Structures are given as C-alpha cells and as structure tokens.
Amino acid sequence: MAGLRLGPLLRHVDWDTGDAATIWVEADRPCTAEVRCADGSGGSVRTFQISGHHYALVPVTGLTPGTTTAYEVLLDGITVWPAGGGFPPSTISTPAVGGGPGRPSPGLRVTFGSCRQAAPPADRRGPHGADALDTLAARLAHDPLEVRPDLLLLLGDQVYADHLSRATRTWLAARRDLREAPGAQVADYEEYTRLYYESWLDPEIRWLLSTVPSLHIFDDHDVIDDWNTSAAWLAEMRATAWWPERVLSGLMSYWVYQHLGNLSPAELAADPLYAAVRATPDGTDALRAFAAAADADPASARWSYRRDFGRTRLLMVDTRAARVLAEDGRAMLDPAEQLWLRENALQGHGDYDHLLIGSSLPWLMPPLIHDAEVWNAALCRGERGPRWARIGEDLRRRSDLEHWAAFPASFAALSDLIEEVGTGPKAPSTVCVLSGDVHHAYVAEPRIPSTARVFQLTCSPVHNSIHTAVKWGFRLGWSRLGRWLGRGFSRHGRTGRPPVTWRRTGGPWFGNQLMTLALAGRSARLRLDQARSGRPGARLVTVLDRELTAAE
C-alpha cells in the first residue's frame, strides 16, 4: 500500500476563474495520487519518479469560486490525508471574482519572509528562538476566527544545504565519511530530500502548507552560501570534485520540491521537461540533463515567474541563477531575464493596482552597505588596480557584498523600471519590492518623482539568528554616520552618487518575523509580526501596523 511521505502542499490557486488549484505530494512508491474535495471537485494523476522518489502535482478542477472546501488525499484509492493530529481540515479557498480591466477585484493578503532553518522537535530547544512560520501556523490552527493569508511568499533559503541541524549531521555521518568534502553539508539529491523532510514534516508547517497556497524562489543557501557571487568564486567551485553533483542536486531538488508548484496548470501543460519526466518510468536523466544545462548556461532555464491576483501583479525574480558574472559586464539579471522583467512589468500597464516584485535580495539596502557594495564592485573590476581588485574579491566573499548594489548597472535598470511603471496616469497605486536575506526587517522609500507609492519591504529571518556585531553593523548602515562613511567609499572607488536616494521609514527590526501586505482596491496596509517565546508557547506580537496608502 502506498504511503504519503511528504505533503500535501497547496500550491497554485487560479485567480482568473476561481475553479482550479494544484496540490503537490510525495509518495513512498509509484501510485495514482488523487484529491477529493467536500464539494465534489477533485482530480488525480500518476506519480513520476526522480532518483527513487515518487511525486505528483495533482490538478484540482471543478472548484466553486468564492468558497472554501475541505479536501482529502488518496493514494491508489486509500485515504492518506488528513492524518489526524488535532489540526483543522485542510482546505482550498478560491477567490469570488477574478479581477481585471473594468472588473472589481477581491482583496489579497500576502504573508512573506525568508531564511527559515527547520525548527527543532517540540521536546528540544533550538538556537534561533521561536519559529515565526510555525507560530503563525499554530495560531491559525487554533483560532478559527483568525484571518488567514491568501498567499505565502517564501523568498529564499527555504532549506540550508550548508548549515545543517545536529540530527541531519548525525544522519549524514551514518551515510558517508564527513571528513571528505563537502563535509557536513549536503552532497547529492538524496541528502537534499532529507532537508525538505526535516523542514516540511514539522506538524504545524505541514498543516499550514496544506491549506495556504505558497509561492517560492531560491536564494543562496538553498544551494550554497554566496552562490554565484563572482566569476572567480564560480571557477574555484567548478574546480572541486564535489561541486558538480551538489549544484545539479540543488537545482533538481528545487525544481521538484519548489519550482513545479509555482507554475500554473497551463504552464505545466506547455512545459517540455514536465512532460518528459512524466512520460518515462524514471525521469531522473531528463531532469539531470536540464539541471546541467541550466548550470552551464543560465539563459537556458527560467526560474522567474509572473502571477496575477485580480488587479495585483506579482513578478518573482531569480536573483541567483540568472546572473552575469564577468567583471566587465556584471549583471544581476542576464539580458533575457532583464527583458522578461521589463515586459511583464509594462504589459497591461494600467490594468493592475499593485505591482509586487519578489526579489530574495533587497533592492534598497542600508546606505552604508549600498555604497560599500558599489565601491567593492569598482575595485573588483580593476578601477584601483590589480592589488585592490584582489582585496575587493576577498572582501566581497567575506562580507556578502552581492546585493543589487553590487551590480550597479542592474540597480540602475531596476530603479528606472520602477520609476517608469510608477509614473503617469496608468501608474498603479503601489510598487513594492518584497525581499529577505539580510536577517532584519525594514521599510524604505525611494525619493523618485513617481505617481505610485514605492516601497522596499524587507522581512528576514523567519527562523534564524544574527550575530550581535552584524546587528550593530546594520544599525550603523542606516545612521547619519553610516551615510557619511559611505560617501568615503564612493570617493575612493570613484563611483559617484547612486542614481536614486532613499530613506528608511520603518525599522530596523531584529528577530524571527513575518510581514503581511493586505491589498484591497487601491489601498495597501502593512503588518509586521514577530515570534516571541513564552508560556504556554510561542506567540506572534505585532510590532508594525501601517497604512501604506490612503483608501480610495
């Protein structure tokens, strides 16, 4: 009898028709995965196989718009979910109306954050404090009146391939000799699956992901710290014996566990790789060939994607795999990716009220850090000579100087695009860049002549920690002294002033936290909740509740 190894995860919910969704599962053997809903809707599909593991992305059709319906999961006709545990039924909620030109749009609540190391078992204390996502799940599960998010945006570092829990290190040590590279880090696909089990089998997280749709994008720790930070870094990694298997396994597991669910049913139907892995008893070779091509030529794969939720548009941008690393042409996005972003931001300009740009890495950083990254980029491309170039490369890696500012042309292009989208009679009400990565939260606003309100909304971590010295470094980066020090970097690097200036209008906040953006019509409201440990258990404390725009 087939068993449910992981999932279910509610992924895509159709906001155009309100009658379809997809649910992801992993089974322990080949089988037919089926979803049956209480309202009579449902769907089924045969599993596909990757590296001895069996997966299905079940298309659910026939849902009723504007309703919430419970569902169950069956494998070969046997019910395997719900599995008990005292949680409410897993449900699928559909929007009442698909928004669009001339049509009313339902409100949208988006909860987002990044950087989540798996929470320890309930009987063990971990080093990072209360898990914000776990705490949110517990609150939603135990309070039926609590308003649930319509969408979870997980903005990178959903798993940590290079910082493992004690339990996973013990598991690895029983599998191979940790004295050999890559040591106490994951090495292959099987070891990646362990990270997802550890993270998503947490009972609260498992229930939450089964009932709130989620969209994902990777960041560096999903593969390795500082992934694709520079051409020199990449050359060194490719010279090691263990890196090729690591990066292929990272991309393969991301495609299976995270990326597939980002796609709509129409995109899945048109995806040749998805068709290939389902058309053969074992899709491993097809997926491995795809991952190898994506690593060798980033332009051969697209991890970015677009979603429209009524009159809200989300553009989730790949800021890791799509980079151009040559020092004389460094770019956060390669030309094709930059064109994709521009075309999707401007297509139907005037038909959406809110533009959300999901970028794992913040666009607007503390000014001192921004100036340091621009300065460092100038050193690395040789503006102050070979000796400073070597120093710059070492600093770049030691200090993680690899955000948008470290790619000055890309920073300018994104700033120009945001100003173009946000200006004129067709401008949306808000343009928000949603980011994580930097282990603190803040709100920043650029000084640009836009019609729209423009925000950098950064929220990190969900469950991690930050060294005290780094915390004070971020505080300094936002200070008046930090701005003065940043101008010194600019003078030494001969980089000039940034093409846009900005100010911090909220934060910085430190701790495990989640932001929620509530959008209704042309209004937007932002809330920040932090997880606090206590008795009888962890709780979420609201530290910011702010109207971003006046309701119209």
Side-chain angles (χ1 to χ4, degrees):
M1 184 177 71
L4 184 64
R5 179 168 282 178
L6 190 60
L9 275 75
L10 175 59
R11 297 303 310 271
H12 178 85
V13 173
D14 196 314
W15 275 63
D16 290 328
T17 63
D19 63 358
T22 61
I23 291 178
W24 181 99
V25 297
E26 180 180 351
D28 63 5
R29 66 193 64 191
C31 61
T32 296
E34 181 183 1
V35 173
R36 291 181 186 172
C37 299
D39 65 359
S41 58
S44 65
V45 70
R46 192 72 184 169
T47 58
F48 61 90
Q49 178 174 306
I50 302 294
S51 295
H53 293 256
H54 307 278
Y55 309 96
L57 190 60
V58 184
V60 179
T61 58
L63 294 162
T64 303
T67 64
T68 296
T69 184
Y71 72 87
E72 59 182 6
V73 176
L74 301 87
L75 301 179
D76 284 341
I78 305 299
T79 300
V80 294
W81 184 271
F87 290 94
S90 297
T91 58
I92 304 172
S93 296
T94 55
V97 179
R103 292 184 288 167
S105 176
L108 178 69
R109 292 176 60 86
V110 181
T111 295
F112 64 95
S114 79
C115 307
R116 180 181 180 268
Q117 290 199 326
D123 60 351
R124 186 184 307 163
R125 294 189 64 179
H128 304 307
D131 182 330
L133 200 62
D134 204 272
T135 307
L136 172 65
R139 185 166 80 175
L140 295 178
H142 292 98
D143 184 356
L145 299 180
E146 182 73 24
V147 179
R148 297 180 181 179
D150 298 302
L151 180 66
L152 287 174
L153 289 187
L154 304 180
L155 293 168
D157 296 344
Q158 277 70 259
V159 294
Y160 279 72
D162 48 2
H163 295 286
L164 307 183
S165 68
R166 182 185 307 172
T168 295
R169 290 196 301 270
T170 301
W171 179 82
L172 287 184
R175 190 171 189 262
R176 58 179 171 85
D177 188 349
L178 298 188
R179 292 172 297 182
E180 299 180 1
Q185 300 185 27
V186 301
D188 59 26
Y189 188 90
E190 185 64 29
E191 294 177 5
Y192 262 105
T193 66
R194 165 80 184 194
L195 299 185
Y196 286 102
Y197 298 160
E198 184 177 50
S199 185
W200 291 354
L201 285 176
D202 174 316
E204 284 79 14
I205 298 300
R206 193 176 194 182
W207 173 80
L208 181 69
L209 295 178
S210 77
T211 204
V212 177
S214 59
L215 291 173
H216 308 191
I217 195 68
F218 47 42
D219 199 15
D220 56 343
H221 290 286
D222 291 276
V223 178
I224 193 171
D225 189 23
D226 298 337
W227 179 31
N228 284 343
T229 192
S230 68
W233 177 93
L234 184 58
E236 289 181 17
M237 297 302 293
R238 286 177 171 172
T240 66
W242 59 271
W243 173 248
E245 186 61 35
R246 167 68 161 272
V247 69
L248 293 191
S249 297
L251 293 175
M252 289 170 67
S253 61
Y254 175 77
W255 186 86
V256 170
Y257 285 88
Q258 299 194 58
H259 181 68
L260 264 186
N262 295 332
L263 305 180
S264 69
E267 289 168 325
L268 290 168
D271 189 318
L273 177 59
Y274 186 54
V277 299
R278 295 178 63 212
T280 178
D282 187 346
T284 306
D285 289 345
L287 181 54
R288 190 174 182 85
F290 166 83
D295 178 53
D297 178 14
S300 69
R302 170 155 294 133
W303 305 103
S304 301
Y305 55 93
R306 166 182 156 182
R307 285 287 165 270
D308 289 339
F309 302 91
R311 290 182 60 85
T312 296
R313 177 166 297 175
L314 168 68
L315 301 178
M316 193 74 94
V317 183
D318 163 21
T319 58
R320 282 289 168 186
R323 295 179 174 185
V324 177
L325 298 179
E327 292 296 343
D328 59 352
R330 272 174 67 85
M332 182 69 84
L333 308 178
D334 64 37
E337 200 76 10
Q338 183 65 45
L339 179 62
W340 176 90
L341 176 60
R342 178 176 177 78
E343 289 179 343
N344 280 276
L346 294 175
Q347 186 181 54
H349 193 209
D351 291 343
Y352 55 83
D353 295 323
H354 305 278
L355 176 63
L356 310 180
I357 300 176
S359 167
S360 64
L361 303 177
W363 163 50
L364 303 179
M365 293 278 287
L368 172 58
I369 297 175
H370 176 97
D371 290 338
E373 293 197 357
V374 177
W375 165 76
N376 178 261
L379 297 188
C380 291
R381 66 174 178 263
E383 294 292 335
R384 302 290 296 191
R387 177 174 172 272
W388 276 106
R390 291 190 297 271
I391 293 172
E393 178 64 25
D394 183 66
L395 282 173
R396 176 154 59 192
R397 299 190 202 182
R398 290 178 182 273
S399 304
D400 293 338
L401 303 178
E402 52 160 353
H403 301 85
W404 282 91
F407 301 82
S410 297
F411 177 88
L414 179 59
S415 301
D416 289 345
L417 176 61
I418 288 172
E419 183 174 345
E420 182 178 356
V421 168
T423 302
K426 294 184 177 181
S429 177
T430 66
V431 179
C432 298
V433 179
L434 313 181
S435 305
D437 180 70
V438 292
H439 289 211
H440 71 297
Y442 60 88
V443 179
E445 297 182 56
R447 297 182 176 94
I448 56 177
S450 63
T451 308
R453 295 292 304 276
V454 179
F455 299 92
Q456 168 70 65
L457 305 178
T458 303
C459 185
S460 170
V462 171
H463 184 234
N464 210 315
S465 52
I466 185 172
H467 294 296
T468 300
V470 177
K471 183 185 298 186
W472 282 106
F474 281 129
R475 292 189 185 278
L476 174 63
W478 286 112
S479 70
R480 190 170 297 176
L481 173 60
R483 291 180 183 272
W484 180 81
L485 292 172
R487 287 194 288 272
F489 282 124
S490 299
R491 287 192 295 270
H492 182 264
R494 303 165 184 161
T495 59
R497 294 294 181 90
V500 61
T501 60
W502 59 96
R503 60 193 178 97
R504 173 176 53 87
T505 59
W509 297 280
F510 297 92
N512 293 327
Q513 47 206 348
L514 290 165
M515 276 184 174
T516 297
L517 192 58
L519 307 171
R522 291 180 65 84
S523 70
R525 191 172 192 89
L526 179 69
R527 193 179 75 197
L528 174 69
D529 294 311
Q530 292 188 328
R532 305 280 175 84
S533 298
R535 293 182 179 181
R539 60 194 177 97
L540 289 178
V541 175
T542 300
V543 298
L544 173 72
D545 190 355
R546 170 185 169 187
E547 190 75 33
L548 297 183
T549 58
E552 294 184 8

